[in-house]
Structure formats: structure tokens, C-alpha cells
Amino acid sequence: MTNLIFASFVAFVFYVIIPLAGAFSVRYRWRCFRRQIQQTTILKEVSYSEPERNESGAAGEYSFTGELQAIQEDSTIWVNNGKTSVRAEMKGLKLYLLPTNRFMENEGQVEENKALLPQDMPKRISWERVYSLTQGTGIMLSGTVFVENGTPVFRNSEEQPLLAIIFDGKKESILRRSIWSGRQLNEYWNTLTPWALITGSFFLFVLAYISLRSGVSNSVELLLIIMSIIPVILFLPPGVILYVLYRRLWRNGRYLRGERDLMKVLTDYPEFEEFETGSQAIKKYPDLKIRSCGIFNEELLSLMPCRVYCSCNIDEDFRPVHFYENLIVPGDPFELAEKCRSRARLMEVLAVASVGAGFLINSLLLYFGLLFFS
């Protein structure tokens, strides 16, 4: 019995605690990434007149989007947007590479995030591992700007980390693509998980072997063997069916969390125009995109109350518009975000329940099967 208690502790630590610690870590990191992206929308963009070039020193928080112009040997890059150039110190910096946007080229008026945007996450790599970037590569920078000899310089620091994103396609798609894809595909499967599963499985296998040699009861021995192969139990029939269901539910939850965050971006926009029906909004603003959401039927969009968020209705002195999303939204974004959050939480609970049921079913079948043939 002592061996079984110790094995349960080992299994709990290596199969649950360590992977969950990694899960919370990666979820927090991606949440910070999305927060930085959202913060970028309210920052002024470096221009010919901003910031002032007369005095050297810290000039404040700015953003800048342009194309790579040159790379210097000291890990400094030059970026140009056709009007002005900035310098960025990249040494020690973590870059984000956005997934391709080629799926969005033929998108209609209604956004089709679930169908068109890839499931890939932005790749996070250190500058030292970037071996080649071609001239003209799209780069977005956001962080503290210093003025040195009349030149704006983006500088990275632990207190004020610099955000750097490499992207393709239009500048206007950066916010949407970053918010949608900026999350782990599956938080449980992170950098700690493979090592934790391998180590835990090895310890439990050794413990099962020792117990076998010491002559413990047959049932305890079988339980130890089953614990040692927990990482692969779910992939055996019939539990694998529930694993497939788990993946589908978790993917739907991830989609809903993406839609939640896209809606939450709009809650920071105080200026909007309300319409009684979507058809009225589309008639006045025929060129604006319509933000879709999986919790309502898109066929009823023309009959639903809508809000229009358009940069043409705001004062640029009050809010920068270089990342402003011009959209038609079916309803209140805050309420839609809350509904997406609740639905996503339900999908996650059902996903965990399905994978737990798969483990339980396969474990019981394996236990009684081994007990019968032993």
C-alpha cells in the first residue's frame, strides 16, 4: 500500500502539477503578448514630427510599422515606412513571427476567422536565432523610444520590454491576426510536459518493477503498471474516441476565446454609431468588415441591432487611428465577449471531462483485462 501511495504522489506531480505549472506560465505569457498588442493600438506612431528630435533621451511609448531597411553587426536594425526611419536595438530580444495571412486574401465582407485564419501560433524566437531577414520584411515595433542624435531608437529593457513582430501582408491585419492566434494551441502541452511525462513514467515503471520483485499483491502491481503507461493509455480504443472529442471541444473553446478577445478590443473604443438593423449599417458603410461571432446566426445579421466603429468618426488628436479597426459589430461587444467567455469555459469543462472519462474507461478495461489474464 505504501508503494501505491508513493506512486500516486509521483503520478500527480509529474502528470498533473508540472504540466499545469507550464500551462499557467504559457497562458500568462500569451496574455501579456495580447495585452501588449492591444496597448499598441492607443500609442502614437513615430513620424517625422513625433517625437521631438531636439533633445536626446527617453521620449515615451510609441509604435512603428514599416519594412526592414538594414541590419547592422551590433544587432541593430533600421526600419522605414516610406516617410521616416527608426532604429531598433534587437540584442536579447524575443521576436514574434505571425502566421501567414494568405487565407484572408479572398475573404468576403464578413470576417471568417474560424475558417480562414490558421491554428498556428506566432513563433517566438530570440533575435540571436534569426539567421536571415530579407530587405522589405514587414516589422512592427512597440515600446520605449529614445532620441539619439535626432534619430528615434526603440530600445529593449526588462522594465519596458520591446515588442517586435515580423509579418506579411497588410498592416491593418496585424491586430486581428495577433489577437486571434496569440494563444497556446493546448496549454497542457508545453515545454515542461514531455519531460514531465517521460520522467514520471520512468519512475513509476521502476517502482512497478521493484514492487514485482518484492512480491506485492497482484492488484497493486497492476495499478503501478497502469500508472506507468498513463501517457499512452488514452490513445488506445475505446478511449481514443473520447480523445478525438476532447480535441474538438478544446479547439472550439480556443476559437471562442479568440472571438472573445477580438470583441474585447472594441470595448476600448468609446466612439461608435448604433443602428437598429445590420442592413442599415451596411447600407451606410458598405465597405466595412463585419466582425463575426460563433454565438449568433450570421443569417440573421441584417435584422440584428448593430454598432459601427469607424475611424472617420473620431478625432485623431484624441486617439491614434493607425491600428483602428473599422467594423460593423452585431450588438454590444462587451456582452458578446462575455457570452464567448462563458461558452469557451463550457467547452473547456466538457473537454476535460471527456479526456478524464477516456482515461478512466481505458484504465478500468486494462486493469480488469490484465487481472483476468494474470
Side-chain angles (χ1 to χ4, degrees):
M1 185 59 67
T2 303
N3 287 347
L4 185 60
I5 295 174
F6 179 69
S8 299
F9 174 77
V10 171
F12 185 70
V13 169
F14 287 95
Y15 295 163
V16 180
I17 296 298
I18 295 177
L20 284 183
F24 283 114
S25 175
V26 296
R27 179 167 280 201
Y28 174 77
R29 187 180 69 204
W30 284 116
R31 188 181 294 120
C32 291
F33 168 76
R34 297 194 301 271
R35 190 180 299 124
Q36 277 187 288
I37 286 290
Q38 195 165 345
Q39 181 69 19
T40 300
T41 65
I42 62 175
L43 296 179
K44 290 185 177 180
E45 189 172 32
V46 174
S47 63
Y48 184 77
S49 58
E50 288 280 352
E52 293 287 341
R53 301 329 198 248
N54 297 331
E55 296 184 5
S56 298
E61 300 285 314
Y62 286 87
S63 68
F64 188 80
T65 306
E67 296 181 350
L68 179 66
Q69 194 173 23
I71 302 177
Q72 298 179 185
E73 293 183 358
D74 59 351
S75 296
T76 297
I77 65 172
W78 287 87
V79 183
N80 182 277
N81 67 356
K83 298 178 181 178
T84 188
S85 295
V86 301
R87 200 168 83 233
E89 298 176 357
M90 309 296 284
K91 187 175 182 179
L93 183 67
K94 298 290 186 180
L95 296 172
Y96 292 92
L97 280 66
L98 281 190
T100 180
N101 78 329
R102 64 179 182 272
F103 304 99
M104 301 170 60
E105 295 176 355
N106 299 319
E107 184 181 45
Q109 186 175 17
V110 178
E111 291 184 349
E112 300 179 47
N113 297 312
K114 186 174 180 178
L116 295 179
L117 291 185
Q119 277 224 65
D120 298 337
M121 302 179 297
K123 293 182 180 179
R124 185 172 181 262
I125 61 173
S126 63
W127 170 254
E128 286 69 23
R129 293 186 60 190
V130 177
Y131 301 109
S132 64
L133 283 177
T134 59
Q135 187 175 6
T137 299
I139 297 181
M140 191 211 75
L141 302 167
S142 177
T144 304
V145 169
F146 293 79
V147 176
E148 294 183 357
N149 300 321
T151 300
V153 181
F154 283 91
R155 186 168 294 158
N156 184 45
S157 67
E158 292 185 3
E159 299 77 19
Q160 296 291 339
L162 174 64
L163 176 64
I165 296 177
I166 297 176
F167 67 97
D168 63 340
K170 295 181 180 180
K171 165 186 172 180
E172 291 77 15
S173 69
I174 297 176
L175 179 63
R176 176 184 166 198
R177 291 160 59 195
S178 300
I179 294 294
W180 178 263
S181 62
R183 65 196 72 247
Q184 191 82 358
L185 291 179
N186 187 322
E187 284 82 357
Y188 181 84
W189 191 258
N190 52 75
T191 54
L192 296 181
T193 304
W195 302 107
L197 296 183
I198 292 172
T199 305
S201 182
F202 175 75
F203 282 161
L204 289 168
F205 183 79
V206 171
L207 186 59
Y209 177 75
I210 294 174
S211 300
L212 177 64
R213 294 292 299 271
S214 59
V216 298
S217 66
N218 195 32
S219 59
V220 172
E221 176 190 325
L222 293 178
L223 287 173
L224 293 176
I225 293 174
I226 290 174
M227 285 185 184
S228 68
I229 61 172
I230 277 181
V232 298
I233 281 181
L234 189 60
F235 302 102
L236 302 175
V240 68
I241 298 174
L242 291 173
Y243 172 73
V244 173
L245 177 61
Y246 151 77
R247 295 218 14 176
R248 182 172 182 177
L249 290 169
W250 195 267
R251 184 169 60 249
N252 288 338
R254 186 174 185 266
Y255 286 145
L256 286 164
R257 283 186 279 126
E259 291 178 340
R260 173 203 65 190
D261 292 335
L262 287 174
M263 289 296 176
K264 284 175 65 177
V265 170
L266 299 175
T267 61
D268 292 334
Y269 293 0
E271 309 85 3
F272 57 85
E273 189 175 352
E274 292 188 292
F275 292 85
E276 293 183 359
T277 64
S279 58
Q280 293 177 356
I282 295 171
K283 183 177 180 180
K284 184 174 181 180
Y285 298 97
D287 297 327
L288 293 193
K289 284 278 190 181
I290 300 172
R291 175 136 293 169
S292 62
C293 186
I295 63 174
F296 64 81
N297 189 343
E298 294 180 4
E299 295 180 357
L300 302 177
L301 177 64
S302 61
L303 304 176
M304 299 173 61
C306 289
R307 289 185 180 182
V308 171
Y309 295 84
C310 184
S311 58
C312 61
N313 296 328
I314 70 172
D315 183 1
E316 288 194 43
D317 293 331
F318 173 73
R319 181 189 180 94
V321 297
H322 52 281
F323 277 119
Y324 197 98
E325 292 196 288
N326 298 296
L327 294 166
I328 298 174
V329 182
D332 183 349
F334 180 79
E335 293 181 359
L336 292 171
E338 285 300 305
K339 290 180 180 179
C340 287
R341 182 190 63 80
S342 299
R343 188 78 63 85
R345 187 66 53 84
L346 176 61
M347 292 294 107
E348 291 173 352
V349 170
L350 292 175
V352 172
S354 66
V355 77
F359 271 120
L360 181 61
I361 292 171
N362 278 6
S363 298
L364 289 175
L365 290 175
L366 188 60
Y367 173 77
F368 288 111
L370 292 175
L371 193 61
F372 177 79
F373 289 105
S374 62

